[in-house]
Amino acid sequence: MNQTYAVAAVTAVVLATVLIGALGLRISRTTSDFYVASRTVRPGLNAAAISGEYLSAASFLGIAGLVLVQGPAMLWYPVGYTAGYLVLLVLVAAPLRRSGAYTLSDFAEARLESPQARRLASLFVVGIGWLYLLPQLQGAGLTLEILTGAPDWVGGLLVALVVTGTVAAGGMRSITFVQAFQYWLKLTALLVPVLFLLAAWYGDGAPRARFDAPALLRDHTVVKVADTVRVDLDAPLTLTVTGRVDSVPYEHQTVTLAPGTHHVLGGTTLAFEPGASLPERSQLGVPPADDRGTAAGGSDPLGWSQPLAGGRDGHQLYATYGLILATFLGTMGLPHVAVRFYTSPHGRAARRTTLVVLGLVGAFYLLPPLYGALGRIYAPELALTGSADAAVLVLPDRILGGLLGDLLGALLAGGAFAAFLSTASGLTMSVAGVLTQDVLPSRGVRHFRLATLLATAVPLAVGVVASKVPVADAVGLAFAVSASSFCPLLVLGIWWRRLTPPGAMAGLLLGGGSALAAVMATRAGLAPDGWPHTLMAWPAVWSVPLGFLSMVAVSLATPRRIPPGTPGILARLHLPEEFTGTLPAQEARR
């Protein structure tokens, strides 16, 4: 990829973000402008802005990387990401807007009349926001490293600086225009190159739909394995090795590996001849703590197009159910998604916005799987290097080359950077809003700007020292925590009048807390091998029911704690605005 073109594209995206954000700054005048754009964002603009911030690095780069490594089974990611808005449309969108809140913490306090519930909800908003921000910053570092060779922390720092400046300057007004622009940029950046790539693929006689066949390397390929992996061979394989394989050191030696399982130490360089079959990562259970598989939670893939139920231990089938549940139910509780619905003029506009979002997001998600399938043919070695997320960026050069490949690669680089900027903007906005209201001593615009700096500084610092996780996996973890905490709170808070503050807090702690603890233990390598690892890596299957059941059980056990204002707040949530006429008390006092 031509670095000059790529850097120019990234620079253009950054400048456009700053200039469009400045437009929002000129019309931001009040505190309400900063938090919710004075609730005047119309459905078309709001839907584009929601789609822009929702389609993150996991969508632009991560899905293609997972499809490259694990095949069609990973299509559940875009299906779940899209279908989550259908659940949100049916159960949450309009009542959430009618609550009149600025944040999920405001909703918790208004519905439960409990400052303690508000503080607990604020902790989860910040935790989920930082968990989601981390892969955006790390993904930006990976992208800039591929484009320019810069250290991997530079991209994250650049995104943090631009986002902090944009959000702090104009708040929700600024990022609404920025995110709407970035959605259309991301869609164009994926759509235009893939048309050229598919045309070139169709014309060069490459394999068609043999997804179950071994991935073949089309040219002489040198692969540097980032982390220690185990690979399976069905037939002898001759290659040149520099490093250690099966604990044996080699220095640029030609080696023939026998069929079976082999351990390749991290940092080892493998040189394959044209037409060689790429080794598959081992299918034998769960990798040890020093292995970093590319599947979410660290599991190794079972191979392309194998039935999920055909696995020897059922881990993959369970993981798929965990993925479906987390993505279907986690969307409604994501802080940066929820805060955008507070910008709608009224409940009907919130529903219309969600309907348009379904169309925009669904159209976008048709594209990343195509890049993953093409990557399986033209860049399969990325599955071994630990850089599968880079497939989208390298394909134009691999397939087309020349000036056209450089230009299309630059367009994709700009689109990828737009993905980091738009999602990071929404997350920073939601986290900064909670920090301003519940942590800092004042709720004014000045303290909001200080909170914006804090919202990006923490994940940026963690990203420098934390191990890199495939972006789609890391985002999936945030979905699992959201589904286990805010999904029960929103659904029961809107539709069940007997919910009590002790019940809500018990559900947040048991459902969301257990999911977060399981996720952190898995990432730290503390989960034992086998089923314990799988259960902790994909907690939504058990943590979501735990969140619901604990909220219901504790609420039924504390009937005297039902807030006295429950009938009034439920009427406000479910009746159109013309029948209620006023906003909740917490909005009036702001």
Side-chain angles (χ1 to χ4, degrees):
M1 182 184 297
N2 188 297
Q3 290 188 0
T4 302
Y5 294 145
V7 171
V10 171
T11 302
V13 170
V14 171
L15 290 176
T17 299
V18 173
L19 291 174
I20 296 172
L23 172 64
L25 172 61
R26 295 185 63 181
I27 58 178
S28 288
R29 295 290 181 266
T30 66
T31 302
S32 183
D33 279 334
F34 271 79
Y35 284 121
V36 288
S38 292
R39 306 190 191 278
T40 58
V41 184
R42 297 299 174 182
L45 177 61
N46 209 12
I50 291 173
S51 302
E53 72 174 355
Y54 185 66
L55 298 171
S56 64
S59 300
F60 199 93
L61 300 178
I63 289 175
L66 288 178
V67 171
L68 185 159
V69 174
Q70 298 190 80
M74 293 298 99
L75 293 178
W76 276 114
Y77 269 98
V79 170
Y81 288 157
T82 306
Y85 274 99
L86 184 59
V87 180
L88 192 151
L89 171 66
V90 173
L91 297 178
V92 172
L96 191 61
R97 164 57 189 93
R98 294 186 188 118
S99 71
Y102 283 136
T103 64
L104 287 171
S105 305
D106 284 339
F107 172 84
E109 183 181 26
R111 172 61 180 86
L112 300 168
E113 302 177 20
S114 168
Q116 294 82 6
R118 177 195 180 89
R119 286 192 287 269
L120 184 58
S122 296
L123 288 176
F124 276 95
V125 168
V126 174
I128 293 170
W130 281 342
L131 191 63
Y132 210 129
L133 258 173
L134 181 60
Q136 310 308 315
L137 301 179
Q138 289 185 337
L142 169 67
T143 300
L144 209 63
E145 183 181 15
I146 293 171
L147 299 178
T148 67
D152 57 7
W153 56 267
V154 174
L157 178 62
L158 177 60
V159 167
L161 290 175
V162 174
V163 165
T164 301
T166 303
V167 175
M172 186 63 79
R173 283 286 189 192
S174 289
I175 68 171
T176 294
F177 296 116
V178 167
Q179 291 169 339
F181 157 75
Q182 287 169 339
Y183 167 77
W184 294 108
L185 174 61
K186 286 184 283 189
L187 183 64
T188 303
L190 281 184
L191 178 60
V192 173
V194 84
L195 296 177
F196 286 93
L197 298 180
L198 289 174
W201 164 76
Y202 185 80
D204 76 348
R208 293 296 184 263
R210 293 296 308 281
F211 294 144
D212 56 340
L216 299 179
L217 297 166
R218 299 162 60 86
D219 303 303
H220 177 78
T221 304
V222 178
V223 174
K224 185 173 183 179
V225 178
D227 301 292
T228 300
V229 295
R230 295 178 298 172
V231 297
D232 278 341
L233 296 178
D234 295 327
L237 176 65
T238 301
L239 70 168
T240 303
V241 180
T242 302
R244 287 180 175 268
V245 177
D246 296 330
S247 301
V248 179
Y250 298 97
E251 185 61 40
H252 201 68
Q253 293 176 251
T254 300
V255 179
T256 299
L257 300 179
T261 301
H262 299 271
H263 292 256
V264 182
L265 188 68
T268 298
T269 299
L270 309 175
F272 298 87
E273 294 302 316
S277 176
L278 185 74
E280 295 280 356
R281 287 178 180 263
S282 175
Q283 303 175 12
L284 301 177
V286 178
D290 61 344
D291 285 6
R292 293 177 192 163
T294 52
S299 312
D300 285 323
L302 291 175
W304 268 55
S305 292
Q306 290 191 9
L308 293 174
R312 303 176 205 180
D313 50 19
H315 290 186
Q316 288 293 96
L317 185 61
Y318 171 89
T320 300
Y321 288 135
L323 166 66
I324 293 171
L325 199 60
T327 53
F328 274 41
L329 300 181
T331 302
M332 70 177 70
L334 294 177
H336 63 304
V337 171
V339 75
R340 288 232 58 102
F341 285 94
Y342 302 141
T343 65
S344 296
H346 42 69
R348 289 191 304 275
R351 282 203 177 99
R352 294 192 194 105
T353 297
T354 311
L355 198 59
V356 178
V357 169
L358 278 167
L360 296 179
V361 170
F364 179 92
Y365 278 133
L366 294 175
L367 302 175
L370 297 177
Y371 284 88
L374 291 172
R376 174 77 172 179
I377 298 170
Y378 292 97
E381 77 281 359
L382 295 178
L384 278 183
T385 64
S387 301
D389 291 335
V392 169
L393 301 174
V394 305
L395 281 175
D397 183 61
R398 295 286 181 92
I399 299 177
L400 299 170
L403 178 61
L404 179 60
D406 290 339
L407 292 175
L408 294 177
L411 179 60
L412 285 165
F417 231 75
F420 306 132
L421 290 170
S422 59
T423 301
S425 297
L427 290 164
T428 301
M429 181 75 214
S430 59
V431 172
V434 169
L435 292 176
T436 303
Q437 296 181 44
D438 298 315
V439 177
L440 298 180
S442 173
R443 298 179 177 181
V445 171
R446 179 166 168 253
H447 285 82
F448 172 82
R449 288 170 172 158
L450 177 61
T452 300
L453 181 61
L454 180 62
T456 55
V458 171
L460 180 63
V462 172
V464 173
V465 298
S467 61
K468 302 298 186 291
V469 181
V471 289
D473 292 357
V475 168
L477 303 180
F479 270 79
V481 177
S482 171
S484 306
S485 54
F486 286 121
C487 172
L489 176 65
L490 289 170
V491 172
L492 295 178
I494 290 171
W495 297 100
W496 192 47
R497 65 177 60 247
R498 299 178 68 180
L499 181 67
T500 66
M505 289 189 287
L508 287 172
L509 288 172
L510 292 177
S514 61
L516 184 60
V519 164
M520 294 296 100
T522 304
R523 294 268 64 86
L526 302 178
D529 291 354
W531 269 107
H533 182 283
T534 303
L535 291 170
M536 295 177 71
W538 295 101
V541 173
W542 53 267
S543 60
V544 172
L546 179 62
F548 274 100
L549 290 174
S550 54
M551 279 194 189
V552 171
V554 175
S555 294
L556 292 177
T558 56
R560 296 180 181 273
R561 300 292 302 278
I562 296 176
T566 295
I569 186 63
L570 288 181
R572 182 179 292 115
L573 296 179
H574 293 286
L575 290 176
E577 284 79 359
E578 57 265 28
F579 293 103
T580 56
T582 59
L583 293 174
Q586 87 270 11
E587 179 169 311
R589 83 167 178 261
R590 288 179 173 80

